[in-house]
Amino acid sequence: MVEKDKTRLTVYFPPSTKEDLKDMAEQTGLSQTQLVVIATHSLIENYKMEGNAIFKNLIMKPK
């Protein structure tokens, strides 16, 4: 997961999401950056395995 060459990406979150991320960081002992990197790696790997299907639950309206 660690690579020598890194690039920076600025990401904007709604205040409530940022607060949730901050709380999670405090509870886990990981930094907010580490959590975002872990989540991004997980998203990419899931996308490689499942394709667009991973977004189904996000875009489907609940009945």
Side-chain angles (χ1 to χ4, degrees):
M1 188 159 90
V2 177
E3 297 179 18
K4 284 185 177 183
D5 296 326
K6 298 178 184 179
T7 61
R8 183 176 297 260
L9 172 67
T10 302
V11 180
Y12 295 94
F13 293 109
S16 61
T17 302
K18 179 73 165 84
E19 189 62 32
D20 288 343
L21 186 62
K22 179 181 174 222
D23 291 344
M24 187 184 295
E26 290 172 356
Q27 292 170 13
T28 62
L30 298 168
S31 71
Q32 293 178 48
T33 299
Q34 288 171 318
L35 290 170
V36 171
V37 169
I38 290 167
T40 302
H41 280 280
S42 177
L43 176 67
I44 290 169
E45 289 305 312
N46 285 331
Y47 183 78
K48 286 178 181 178
M49 292 181 359
E50 304 292 332
N52 288 339
I54 66 170
F55 301 111
K56 179 179 150 187
N57 291 334
L58 296 174
I59 59 174
M60 296 293 289
K61 293 182 180 178
K63 292 182 179 181

